[in-house]
């Protein structure tokens, strides 16, 4: 089964580390990254979708970050 996550964070090195950590854990990039201004907080925000094949059935209780 393929699972999906959307990683988001402020436009800092922390976002790049978040994506790099997901890749190191076997997640794969899915689509193009996003980049937008967050007017409420006055910062640029980044997003990147990732997917991963897992051997367990889907459950809404899954902790996707722990897969």
């Amino acid at each position: 089964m393929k699972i999906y996550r959307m990683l988001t964070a402020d436009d800092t090195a922390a976002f790049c580390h978040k994506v790099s950590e997901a890749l190191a854990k076997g997640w794969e990039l899915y689509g193009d990254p996003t980049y937008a201004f967050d007017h409420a907080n006055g910062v640029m925000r980044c997003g990147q979708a990732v997917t991963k094949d897992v051997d367990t059935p889907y459950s809404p209780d899954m902790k996707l970050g722990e897969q």
Side-chain angles (χ1 to χ4, degrees):
M1 179 189 78
K2 188 174 292 273
I3 55 177
Y4 171 93
R5 291 175 67 194
M6 181 67 175
L7 305 175
T8 61
D10 290 347
D11 182 21
T12 66
F15 174 74
C16 296
H17 287 287
K18 182 185 273 192
V19 174
S20 295
E21 179 182 23
L23 295 173
K25 291 182 176 180
W27 291 84
E28 297 179 5
L29 299 177
Y30 181 82
D32 294 330
T34 61
Y35 193 63
F37 185 68
D38 178 349
H39 290 279
N41 296 303
V43 297
M44 293 301 292
R45 301 269 302 162
C46 299
Q48 175 64 58
V50 292
T51 61
K52 184 177 184 180
D53 290 317
V54 295
D55 292 329
T56 57
Y58 174 75
S59 166
D61 299 326
M62 291 177 87
K63 304 275 191 234
L64 296 177
E66 297 174 5
Q67 295 295 319

